[in-house]
Amino acid sequence: MTGTLINVSTVLLGGSLGLFFGARLPERARETIIGALGLFTAALGIAMFLKTHNPVLVLLSLLLGGLLGEWWHLEEGLRRVGEGLERRFAAPETGADGHGSRFVRGFLTASLLFCVGPMSILGSVQDGLTGDYTLLAVKALMDGFAALAFASTFGVGVLFSALTVLCYQGGLTLLAEQLQGVVTGAMLDELTATGGVILLALAVGSLLAIKPLRAGNLLPALLIAPLLVALLPWLQHQARVLLGL
């Protein structure tokens, strides 16, 4: 878990610098930084989606994952975690734009951005299987700068996203050996493409604040996408049988 621990450290360091020195940044500069991160996140999401070999599988994964996420109230669960941490460690604070607590927004936005993406998944698996944490180290550097910008705008909630990074990436690393004989290249491609769409939803709904979207409720799609890839040959066979081919 070396790579994950480095990632957690950079999030805490970048977030702390944002808290202590972020106030020195003019509001316009902070808005520009968040906007730039939003645009980059959207561009990264589109680039990830282009890795798909079967857009229909990505669409089905998002639809089924969204239904499960809404049924399980995943984003509401993340929000409750953020609110609980806020009650314990920070005074409630409402954002000037009327979208609720800055603490919760910072926790949700940073947690999703730091955990949804190919570098998080592939880097954790690589670290667990081979001990090579190079990919996570690169991701950690990016997350550190993002945490600095987020913390200067959203506050201390961003630092607590390090807990999400530790649990999520650490869990993937510990399970990596079991995944070695299961996850194929095709599964990773569709999982990456699905994660790209979720990143795009995060950019549109939170970072760029174009339209409110519950991106957290789409997270089950990351599990459904590789499952659909695994089931595709069986589904195609059943279709041929039904059609008498």
Side-chain angles (χ1 to χ4, degrees):
M1 290 179 57
T2 303
T4 294
L5 294 177
I6 293 175
N7 204 164
V8 168
S9 299
T10 57
V11 169
L12 292 174
L13 177 61
S16 298
L17 291 175
L19 286 177
F20 289 113
F21 300 107
R24 299 183 181 181
L25 288 175
E27 184 64 27
R28 292 179 58 183
R30 281 183 281 175
E31 290 177 355
T32 299
I33 291 174
I34 294 296
L37 286 171
L39 291 172
F40 179 80
T41 300
L44 179 61
I46 293 172
M48 289 167 57
F49 172 72
L50 294 178
K51 294 183 180 293
T52 184
H53 301 288
N54 193 334
V56 175
L57 287 182
V58 176
L59 176 60
L60 286 175
S61 300
L62 291 167
L63 293 176
L64 295 174
L67 289 174
L68 287 175
E70 291 291 344
W71 181 27
W72 294 335
H73 302 287
L74 287 184
E75 181 146 325
E76 290 80 353
L78 279 174
R79 188 176 300 277
R80 284 194 294 270
V81 171
E83 290 172 347
L85 291 171
E86 180 182 34
R87 286 192 296 269
R88 177 65 179 84
F89 295 100
E93 184 178 12
T94 301
D97 55 4
H99 287 310
S101 167
R102 288 199 311 141
F103 184 100
V104 174
R105 289 183 65 203
F107 174 74
L108 283 172
T109 300
S111 293
L112 287 172
L113 181 62
F114 296 159
C115 292
V116 176
M119 295 180 73
S120 180
I121 297 169
L122 297 178
S124 298
V125 171
Q126 188 178 37
D127 190 10
L129 292 178
T130 67
D132 183 0
Y133 54 85
T134 303
L135 190 57
L136 283 185
V138 174
K139 175 182 177 293
L141 182 62
M142 296 173 59
D143 289 352
F145 280 103
L148 189 155
F150 285 149
S152 67
T153 300
F154 294 124
V156 71
V158 174
L159 272 69
F160 286 92
S161 67
L163 296 174
T164 310
V165 174
L166 178 62
C167 294
Y168 178 75
Q169 291 185 178
L172 284 178
T173 299
L174 295 175
L175 291 173
E177 187 174 358
Q178 302 299 321
L179 295 173
Q180 183 178 19
V182 177
V183 178
T184 65
M187 290 180 181
L188 283 176
D189 286 342
E190 301 311 321
L191 186 151
T192 297
T194 303
V197 178
I198 297 176
L199 277 183
L200 186 58
L202 177 63
V204 171
S206 183
L207 298 176
L208 299 176
I210 296 174
K211 176 180 173 60
L213 295 172
R214 291 185 290 273
N217 285 340
L218 295 175
L219 289 177
L222 295 176
L223 296 176
I224 294 175
L227 289 177
L228 288 179
V229 173
L231 290 173
L232 186 59
W234 181 81
L235 293 174
Q236 291 174 333
H237 173 72
Q238 294 302 313
R240 286 194 294 266
V241 170
L242 290 175
L243 295 174
L245 298 178

